[in-house]
Amino acid sequence: MLHVVLIEPEIPQNTGNIARLCVAAGARLHLVGPLGFSIEEKALKRAGMDYWERTDLKTWSSWNELVEENRSGRFFFLSSKVGQAYWNAEFRDGDFLVFGRETRGLPASLLAANLETSLTIPMMEGTRSLNLATSAGIVLYEAIRQLSLVPNQISRTVTVSN
């Protein structure tokens, strides 16, 4: 199982979309507080749709609490402020993909302490950032692709015709 970690998320709709993503991908969602909203908020549940109740969710009061509980885990830190592309990482089952606040990203101190496992999604020059839910989807599905962790419960095949 892969893990998506949101540190102090601020926008409930993004978190709801990421919860839906995690259900579809078979990943666990970790929310590290303080959160910028209540997990009972309507906007969060609306964005997560009926997937919210199926989300494998863990909440943590702090980053240190999550790390202490998952000492053997490998953590990858996603930021627009680093240079190593996410596709150069070699993901393993059990990895944690860590994303920061929508408005500020991850703390500079956290990135500095983890340069070797800090990754970015390359973008055209002049582009500041991507939406948090979009970023989580890009990196999570790259990890799934590398690991061939295709969700077993796929109920339909998508075909494209002209």
Side-chain angles (χ1 to χ4, degrees):
M1 169 184 290
L2 292 163
H3 302 265
V4 174
V5 178
L6 305 182
I7 296 180
E8 300 180 6
E10 301 166 310
I11 302 173
Q13 293 87 342
N14 280 335
T15 301
N17 284 330
I18 294 169
R20 187 169 28 164
L21 169 73
C22 287
V23 170
R28 178 172 291 151
L29 177 60
H30 299 263
L31 300 180
V32 178
L35 306 180
F37 51 85
S38 163
I39 60 172
E40 299 302 318
E41 195 161 320
K42 287 182 183 179
L44 174 73
K45 293 186 176 185
R46 189 176 311 115
M49 299 176 23
D50 57 336
Y51 295 92
W52 185 252
E53 299 305 319
R54 295 171 38 204
T55 303
D56 184 349
L57 176 66
K58 300 262 310 184
T59 58
W60 307 91
S61 61
S62 70
W63 168 249
N64 290 337
E65 181 186 22
L66 181 146
V67 171
E68 187 68 26
E69 187 75 23
N70 296 281
R71 283 188 205 158
S72 63
R74 287 192 339 148
F75 293 86
F76 289 92
F77 302 88
L78 283 297
S79 174
S80 61
K81 299 172 180 86
V82 298
Q84 180 179 199
Y86 72 94
W87 56 66
N88 291 329
E90 292 183 20
F91 296 109
R92 295 193 302 227
D93 193 17
D95 283 347
F96 290 77
L97 309 174
V98 183
F99 299 85
R101 290 178 171 184
E102 289 90 341
T103 57
R104 289 184 244 169
L106 292 169
S109 60
L110 190 58
L111 293 172
N114 297 283
L115 284 178
E116 290 185 18
T117 56
S118 292
L119 308 171
T120 194
I121 300 170
M123 297 177 279
M124 296 296 294
E125 190 173 324
T127 306
R128 191 177 68 241
S129 64
L130 294 172
N131 175 274
L132 181 61
T134 300
S135 298
I138 289 169
V139 180
L140 178 58
Y141 271 89
E142 170 60 15
I144 288 171
R145 184 196 68 78
Q146 285 185 20
L147 299 170
S148 300
L149 289 178
V150 178
N152 336 2
Q153 301 294 326
I154 295 177
S155 60
R156 63 177 182 246
T157 303
V158 177
T159 56
V160 178
S161 60
N162 292 340

